[in-house]
Amino acid sequence: MSEANKQQGAVQTTGHSWDGDLQEFNNPLPTWWLWGFYLTVVFAVIYWVIYPAWPVGETYTRGVANTITYTVDGEERTTHWNTRALLMKEMQSGKSAQKMQAYMEQVAAASYEDILADEEMLAFTRAVAKGMFGDNCAACHGSGGAGVMGLFPNLVDDAWLWGGTVEQIEQTLTEGRHGFMPAFGRSLDDGQINAVAHYVLSLSDHEVDDDMAQRGMQIFNGREGGCFYCHTSEGTGLESQGAANLTDSIWTVADVPGQDSLDGKLNEVKRVVENGIERVMPAWEGRLSDNEIKLLTVYVHELGGGQ
Amino acid sequence: MSFFKHESIEINAGLLIALTMVVISIGGLVEIVPLFYIKDTIEKVEGVRPYSPLELRGRDIYQREGCYLCHSQMIRPFRDEMLRYGHYSLAAESQYDHPFQWGSKRTGPDLARVGGKYSNEWHVAHMINPRDVVPESIMPSYPWLMENELQYADVADRMRALKKAGVPYSETREEYQANVEKFGQEAADKLNILAAEQYLVAEAQAGNFDGDRSRLTEMDALVAYLQVLGTMVDFSQYEEGHFVEFR
């Protein structure tokens, strides 16, 4: 007699039989499993009583002796258990929420000078604003703030298109910015654009053909090009227009440092002059609170070249 | 009753299917059906309107590309989600979504309030190659969105289909007037099935979502859709705790 047959003799079968000798055991459920099952049934009944559970007509059972109290404008409200009230309560009286709130109030009351001078507030700002920067800013400016060449400005260098003081950074965050340079592909011919590109590179001490640069300067500072309206006749750029400083060797749109040859560098500048630029920094007012904007302002200021 | 004996159910496939369906439908009846009758399910809130024709096409593309497999559109009422994504989602905000895009898996971030968070340029660059703007991203590239012309000849039919599901797009003068009263003139114009095609083209040209005015691409529609997500309700209008009252 084989092992299997011995076992078959020990327990009941369902009585079904296939192919003459294929049968099915009918073992009782393990006791621990069965009691576990009864326990879930008991749990469910208790849950029905305590928590919102059963629909009744246009409403539902709200749960017994299980309320949440939260505050709206200083007035206490009590309601049956629900996750929305639970969230409000946690935001108002939760341990970490309160700790954060205390710091937030301290930051809200302080001036930018005070925050920048106070090690503890600065540490809080770095910790909290890092998360906010990751959620809201890093998608464009990168998690470290280095930006993307040609698309989104680098925030860790010393160059600021719209100004690097805390007030200017705050304005940029609050109202957003619309960076615009017209396309000169139609108003200037290829030769003129080529000359302007020579002049632009000469501003940042590139060795270019002097005659071409001279001709480019006349277009740059004349009515033909009119570049000086925004970039100034020295090429240092107007912060009010978000116009880049062309003399500081820091490039945000034309990838000049990425090109090895002078021709490559010229082509990069020509491409920008020809096609223009249109870039948008979204406005964060309304999406972030004033205090959050304040924290991010300090954070961005501290990333690198805050002025 | 020998009819309901274990054995007779087990050996009778038709009966097994029928009884299985009865048992499953009890779950549906108890959990889903009452929501249609419970008054507080959908919050009373201003501003939520059905999608414009262009946004609707964007939503179709969102579904076609399977975005919902990695992105949820459901901010739950937890502190950490609120800090990251903003106000928790309301049932009212997806009342015109058929099917809703709540999702159940977040490989990427939640998109319920992504509207207005990034610029159009960012979305375009991000769709063509996510790594260009988010180096650590694992999202696939969708470069064809910029290449494919947007098909919109059937947009009116798509709106009619949704109308059958209860979305208040308008075909008659009365329906249009009802929409003007409910959503305001500006929104009612977006919901007019008879002018859907013209409106779609006009909206795409005015918005220039893909940054290329010469063409109307699938990118135009998808970006238009993403930019409206979660922006319809102005939460500053409501006192803190207003939406707790609906639970």
Side-chain angles (χ1 to χ4, degrees):
Chain A
M1 207 182 198
S2 71
E3 276 301 303
N5 282 345
K6 262 191 225 162
Q7 241 183 9
Q8 202 176 346
V11 292
Q12 276 189 318
T13 68
T14 55
H16 303 165
S17 167
W18 293 272
D19 291 344
D21 60 347
L22 199 55
Q23 289 175 301
E24 201 179 0
F25 282 146
N26 189 14
N27 284 313
L29 291 162
T31 323
W32 68 266
W33 192 95
L34 201 61
W35 280 104
F37 175 69
Y38 291 145
L39 213 63
T40 60
V41 174
V42 173
F43 174 84
V45 174
I46 296 172
Y47 188 93
W48 292 343
V49 176
I50 298 177
Y51 288 92
W54 286 97
V56 184
E58 287 183 348
T59 177
Y60 50 92
T61 58
R62 310 263 152 154
V64 175
N66 188 12
T67 58
I68 295 167
T69 304
Y70 58 97
T71 324
V72 178
D73 299 329
E75 171 204 343
E76 278 203 351
R77 286 188 198 172
T78 301
T79 178
H80 63 276
W81 186 94
N82 70 81
T83 49
R84 292 182 179 182
L86 211 58
L87 171 69
M88 284 206 65
K89 192 182 163 193
E90 203 196 329
M91 295 298 282
Q92 289 166 352
S93 49
K95 210 172 156 192
S96 29
Q98 271 184 329
K99 201 171 165 188
M100 192 165 162
Q101 190 58 33
Y103 271 115
M104 283 294 214
E105 277 162 20
Q106 200 188 345
V107 168
S111 68
Y112 280 119
E113 290 82 57
D114 292 345
I115 301 171
L116 289 169
D118 184 310
E119 267 309 311
E120 201 186 340
M121 272 199 277
L122 211 49
F124 168 75
T125 306
R126 282 201 194 99
V128 174
K130 188 168 195 277
M132 294 196 298
F133 189 90
D135 288 341
N136 301 296
C137 318
C140 294
H141 294 288
S143 43
V148 178
M149 173 59 84
L151 289 170
F152 309 110
N154 185 334
L155 303 177
V156 299
D157 61 15
D158 290 334
W160 296 91
L161 290 169
W162 301 94
T165 66
V166 278
E167 288 78 17
Q168 286 166 317
I169 295 171
E170 187 191 86
Q171 195 190 358
T172 302
L173 280 163
T174 311
E175 296 166 15
R177 299 287 189 188
H178 186 176
F180 177 72
M181 169 172 151
F184 289 92
R186 286 191 185 156
S187 52
L188 299 178
D189 63 35
D190 288 353
Q192 288 172 309
I193 290 177
N194 193 23
V196 170
H198 277 78
Y199 176 62
V200 168
L201 283 186
S202 77
L203 287 172
S204 49
D205 298 333
H206 286 83
E207 302 257 336
V208 293
D209 185 284
D210 264 348
D211 290 346
M212 287 293 276
Q214 278 299 319
R215 209 182 130 209
M217 185 178 81
Q218 279 160 16
I219 300 165
F220 191 96
N221 285 326
R223 284 176 56 192
E224 272 175 301
C227 313
F228 71 99
Y229 287 124
C230 294
H231 288 288
T232 77
S233 46
E234 288 82 36
T236 48
L238 276 181
E239 280 179 355
S240 63
Q241 303 302 311
N245 182 345
L246 302 172
T247 65
D248 60 3
S249 299
I250 298 176
W251 300 89
T252 63
V253 184
D255 189 11
V256 170
Q259 300 293 328
D260 294 330
S261 67
L262 185 62
D263 276 346
K265 291 176 197 288
L266 283 168
N267 280 338
E268 273 296 309
V269 178
K270 278 194 269 186
R271 181 178 59 80
V272 176
V273 176
E274 209 172 303
N275 299 323
I277 303 162
E278 184 155 12
R279 301 197 292 185
V280 173
M281 156 92 187
W284 294 88
E285 192 172 29
R287 180 174 281 277
L288 295 175
S289 71
D290 289 352
N291 214 15
E292 287 171 323
I293 289 179
K294 196 170 187 179
L295 289 167
L296 275 173
T297 299
V298 174
Y299 184 79
V300 170
H301 187 266
E302 290 297 284
L303 273 179
Q307 291 162 357
Chain B
M1 267 181 29
S2 70
F3 191 62
F4 286 116
K5 265 178 70 181
H6 205 273
E7 189 179 346
S8 45
I9 297 171
E10 234 177 72
I11 60 174
N12 188 337
L15 186 64
L16 182 68
I17 291 170
L19 290 176
T20 305
M21 284 168 77
V22 168
V23 172
I24 291 173
S25 58
I26 290 173
L29 285 168
V30 173
E31 292 190 352
I32 301 168
V33 174
L35 292 177
F36 295 120
Y37 298 100
I38 292 176
K39 276 184 172 166
D40 293 345
T41 304
I42 296 178
E43 306 86 352
K44 281 172 200 65
V45 65
E46 294 267 315
V48 182
R49 59 159 173 82
Y51 295 116
S52 74
L54 186 66
E55 291 155 10
L56 183 63
R57 286 300 289 124
R59 187 174 178 282
D60 292 338
I61 292 163
Y62 183 92
Q63 280 175 273
R64 182 191 75 194
E65 302 296 351
C67 307
Y68 58 88
L69 291 166
C70 291
H71 293 284
S72 58
Q73 287 186 25
M74 166 55 74
I75 304 167
R76 297 169 293 178
F78 302 142
R79 179 167 171 261
D80 54 342
E81 297 216 356
M82 194 162 157
L83 290 177
R84 175 163 183 186
Y85 298 118
H87 198 286
Y88 52 78
S89 296
L90 303 176
E93 288 179 291
S94 40
Q95 62 182 312
Y96 300 125
D97 268 14
H98 296 284
F100 60 77
Q101 299 295 320
W102 301 341
S104 56
K105 174 96 169 67
R106 281 185 191 157
T107 302
D110 187 275
L111 299 180
R113 300 210 186 283
V114 79
K117 187 167 178 177
Y118 310 117
S119 62
N120 296 342
E121 295 81 357
W122 184 88
H123 278 298
V124 172
H126 184 246
M127 288 298 165
I128 293 171
N129 181 17
R131 257 71 51 200
D132 281 352
V133 284
V134 186
E136 62 273 28
S137 172
I138 56 164
M139 185 171 119
S141 306
Y142 297 86
W144 54 86
L145 296 176
M146 198 66 197
E147 290 153 20
N148 292 359
E149 295 280 338
L150 181 69
Q151 303 299 321
Y152 57 88
D154 58 356
V155 69
D157 288 338
R158 288 170 187 270
M159 291 163 85
R160 280 193 192 97
L162 282 170
K163 193 179 167 216
K164 285 208 169 117
V167 181
Y169 289 116
S170 68
E171 275 189 296
T172 65
R173 181 171 285 274
E174 292 77 50
E175 286 167 348
Y176 175 79
Q177 279 306 330
N179 279 348
V180 172
E181 266 167 48
K182 194 169 176 191
F183 304 112
Q185 174 89 42
E186 199 187 328
D189 286 340
K190 298 180 186 192
L191 311 181
N192 183 0
I193 295 179
L194 303 177
E197 274 186 56
Q198 296 96 295
Y199 195 90
L200 183 147
V201 174
E203 192 183 0
Q205 276 168 354
N208 189 26
F209 296 96
D210 67 355
D212 180 356
R213 283 190 196 280
S214 61
R215 295 174 67 225
L216 182 45
T217 62
E218 292 184 341
M219 187 74 85
D220 273 307
L222 185 64
V223 174
Y225 170 66
L226 291 173
Q227 292 291 32
V228 81
L229 284 180
T231 62
M232 291 184 191
V233 177
D234 177 7
F235 284 94
S236 65
Q237 274 185 34
Y238 301 95
E239 59 149 30
E240 204 190 359
H242 175 77
F243 294 106
V244 178
E245 311 287 318
F246 291 93
R247 284 292 171 273

PDB file of all heavy atoms in Angstrom, chain A residues 29-39:
ATOM      1  N   LEU A  29     -11.652  22.676   7.363  1.00  0.00           N
ATOM      2  CA  LEU A  29     -10.780  23.854   7.360  1.00  0.00           C
ATOM      3  C   LEU A  29      -9.943  23.853   8.625  1.00  0.00           C
ATOM      4  O   LEU A  29     -10.429  23.429   9.673  1.00  0.00           O
ATOM      5  CB  LEU A  29     -11.620  25.124   7.318  1.00  0.00           C
ATOM      6  CG  LEU A  29     -12.357  25.365   6.012  1.00  0.00           C
ATOM      7  CD1 LEU A  29     -13.474  26.370   6.227  1.00  0.00           C
ATOM      8  CD2 LEU A  29     -11.404  25.838   4.944  1.00  0.00           C
ATOM      9  N   PRO A  30      -8.694  24.325   8.576  1.00  0.00           N
ATOM     10  CA  PRO A  30      -7.892  24.396   9.794  1.00  0.00           C
ATOM     11  C   PRO A  30      -8.593  25.281  10.828  1.00  0.00           C
ATOM     12  O   PRO A  30      -9.184  26.302  10.467  1.00  0.00           O
ATOM     13  CB  PRO A  30      -6.589  25.057   9.345  1.00  0.00           C
ATOM     14  CG  PRO A  30      -6.577  24.917   7.866  1.00  0.00           C
ATOM     15  CD  PRO A  30      -7.986  24.829   7.402  1.00  0.00           C
ATOM     16  N   THR A  31      -8.501  24.904  12.085  1.00  0.00           N
ATOM     17  CA  THR A  31      -9.216  25.631  13.130  1.00  0.00           C
ATOM     18  C   THR A  31      -8.783  27.093  13.187  1.00  0.00           C
ATOM     19  O   THR A  31      -9.612  27.996  13.311  1.00  0.00           O
ATOM     20  CB  THR A  31      -8.956  24.977  14.506  1.00  0.00           C
ATOM     21  OG1 THR A  31      -8.904  23.571  14.308  1.00  0.00           O
ATOM     22  CG2 THR A  31     -10.037  25.344  15.488  1.00  0.00           C
ATOM     23  N   TRP A  32      -7.446  27.340  13.130  1.00  0.00           N
ATOM     24  CA  TRP A  32      -6.965  28.732  13.233  1.00  0.00           C
ATOM     25  C   TRP A  32      -7.543  29.579  12.119  1.00  0.00           C
ATOM     26  O   TRP A  32      -7.886  30.740  12.299  1.00  0.00           O
ATOM     27  CB  TRP A  32      -5.433  28.777  13.214  1.00  0.00           C
ATOM     28  CG  TRP A  32      -4.823  28.368  11.886  1.00  0.00           C
ATOM     29  CD1 TRP A  32      -4.390  27.127  11.550  1.00  0.00           C
ATOM     30  CD2 TRP A  32      -4.622  29.200  10.749  1.00  0.00           C
ATOM     31  NE1 TRP A  32      -3.929  27.108  10.267  1.00  0.00           N
ATOM     32  CE2 TRP A  32      -4.054  28.379   9.744  1.00  0.00           C
ATOM     33  CE3 TRP A  32      -4.856  30.533  10.459  1.00  0.00           C
ATOM     34  CZ2 TRP A  32      -3.719  28.874   8.485  1.00  0.00           C
ATOM     35  CZ3 TRP A  32      -4.507  31.017   9.200  1.00  0.00           C
ATOM     36  CH2 TRP A  32      -3.953  30.195   8.229  1.00  0.00           C
ATOM     37  N   TRP A  33      -7.694  28.989  10.928  1.00  0.00           N
ATOM     38  CA  TRP A  33      -8.213  29.740   9.780  1.00  0.00           C
ATOM     39  C   TRP A  33      -9.689  30.083  10.007  1.00  0.00           C
ATOM     40  O   TRP A  33     -10.136  31.198   9.809  1.00  0.00           O
ATOM     41  CB  TRP A  33      -8.057  28.904   8.509  1.00  0.00           C
ATOM     42  CG  TRP A  33      -8.292  29.700   7.266  1.00  0.00           C
ATOM     43  CD1 TRP A  33      -7.370  30.318   6.486  1.00  0.00           C
ATOM     44  CD2 TRP A  33      -9.572  29.965   6.667  1.00  0.00           C
ATOM     45  NE1 TRP A  33      -7.988  30.969   5.454  1.00  0.00           N
ATOM     46  CE2 TRP A  33      -9.332  30.783   5.535  1.00  0.00           C
ATOM     47  CE3 TRP A  33     -10.894  29.615   6.984  1.00  0.00           C
ATOM     48  CZ2 TRP A  33     -10.363  31.239   4.711  1.00  0.00           C
ATOM     49  CZ3 TRP A  33     -11.916  30.077   6.163  1.00  0.00           C
ATOM     50  CH2 TRP A  33     -11.636  30.883   5.038  1.00  0.00           C
ATOM     51  N   LEU A  34     -10.428  29.050  10.488  1.00  0.00           N
ATOM     52  CA  LEU A  34     -11.861  29.217  10.690  1.00  0.00           C
ATOM     53  C   LEU A  34     -12.139  30.310  11.728  1.00  0.00           C
ATOM     54  O   LEU A  34     -12.979  31.190  11.525  1.00  0.00           O
ATOM     55  CB  LEU A  34     -12.461  27.886  11.163  1.00  0.00           C
ATOM     56  CG  LEU A  34     -13.969  27.742  10.939  1.00  0.00           C
ATOM     57  CD1 LEU A  34     -14.298  27.823   9.464  1.00  0.00           C
ATOM     58  CD2 LEU A  34     -14.453  26.414  11.507  1.00  0.00           C
ATOM     59  N   TRP A  35     -11.376  30.289  12.841  1.00  0.00           N
ATOM     60  CA  TRP A  35     -11.573  31.307  13.873  1.00  0.00           C
ATOM     61  C   TRP A  35     -11.133  32.685  13.375  1.00  0.00           C
ATOM     62  O   TRP A  35     -11.748  33.701  13.705  1.00  0.00           O
ATOM     63  CB  TRP A  35     -10.844  30.921  15.154  1.00  0.00           C
ATOM     64  CG  TRP A  35     -11.657  29.915  15.922  1.00  0.00           C
ATOM     65  CD1 TRP A  35     -11.431  28.574  16.023  1.00  0.00           C
ATOM     66  CD2 TRP A  35     -12.859  30.188  16.631  1.00  0.00           C
ATOM     67  NE1 TRP A  35     -12.422  27.970  16.755  1.00  0.00           N
ATOM     68  CE2 TRP A  35     -13.323  28.933  17.149  1.00  0.00           C
ATOM     69  CE3 TRP A  35     -13.627  31.330  16.886  1.00  0.00           C
ATOM     70  CZ2 TRP A  35     -14.489  28.819  17.897  1.00  0.00           C
ATOM     71  CZ3 TRP A  35     -14.775  31.203  17.645  1.00  0.00           C
ATOM     72  CH2 TRP A  35     -15.201  29.955  18.137  1.00  0.00           C
ATOM     73  N   GLY A  36     -10.119  32.681  12.539  1.00  0.00           N
ATOM     74  CA  GLY A  36      -9.701  33.961  11.914  1.00  0.00           C
ATOM     75  C   GLY A  36     -10.840  34.542  11.096  1.00  0.00           C
ATOM     76  O   GLY A  36     -11.121  35.740  11.140  1.00  0.00           O
ATOM     77  N   PHE A  37     -11.527  33.672  10.388  1.00  0.00           N
ATOM     78  CA  PHE A  37     -12.640  34.121   9.566  1.00  0.00           C
ATOM     79  C   PHE A  37     -13.775  34.687  10.432  1.00  0.00           C
ATOM     80  O   PHE A  37     -14.291  35.775  10.185  1.00  0.00           O
ATOM     81  CB  PHE A  37     -13.150  32.956   8.705  1.00  0.00           C
ATOM     82  CG  PHE A  37     -14.375  33.292   7.924  1.00  0.00           C
ATOM     83  CD1 PHE A  37     -14.311  34.189   6.868  1.00  0.00           C
ATOM     84  CD2 PHE A  37     -15.610  32.730   8.247  1.00  0.00           C
ATOM     85  CE1 PHE A  37     -15.449  34.513   6.149  1.00  0.00           C
ATOM     86  CE2 PHE A  37     -16.743  33.059   7.540  1.00  0.00           C
ATOM     87  CZ  PHE A  37     -16.668  33.953   6.486  1.00  0.00           C
ATOM     88  N   TYR A  38     -14.117  33.957  11.520  1.00  0.00           N
ATOM     89  CA  TYR A  38     -15.171  34.461  12.413  1.00  0.00           C
ATOM     90  C   TYR A  38     -14.786  35.822  12.984  1.00  0.00           C
ATOM     91  O   TYR A  38     -15.612  36.722  13.124  1.00  0.00           O
ATOM     92  CB  TYR A  38     -15.425  33.475  13.565  1.00  0.00           C
ATOM     93  CG  TYR A  38     -16.064  32.168  13.109  1.00  0.00           C
ATOM     94  CD1 TYR A  38     -15.747  30.957  13.710  1.00  0.00           C
ATOM     95  CD2 TYR A  38     -16.990  32.169  12.072  1.00  0.00           C
ATOM     96  CE1 TYR A  38     -16.316  29.777  13.285  1.00  0.00           C
ATOM     97  CE2 TYR A  38     -17.566  30.993  11.637  1.00  0.00           C
ATOM     98  CZ  TYR A  38     -17.234  29.795  12.241  1.00  0.00           C
ATOM     99  OH  TYR A  38     -17.794  28.625  11.818  1.00  0.00           O
ATOM    100  N   LEU A  39     -13.503  35.966  13.255  1.00  0.00           N
ATOM    101  CA  LEU A  39     -13.013  37.208  13.847  1.00  0.00           C
ATOM    102  C   LEU A  39     -13.214  38.387  12.875  1.00  0.00           C
ATOM    103  O   LEU A  39     -13.616  39.480  13.282  1.00  0.00           O
ATOM    104  CB  LEU A  39     -11.519  37.053  14.159  1.00  0.00           C
ATOM    105  CG  LEU A  39     -11.023  37.803  15.386  1.00  0.00           C
ATOM    106  CD1 LEU A  39     -11.703  37.270  16.646  1.00  0.00           C
ATOM    107  CD2 LEU A  39      -9.502  37.660  15.509  1.00  0.00           C
TER     108      LEU A  39
END
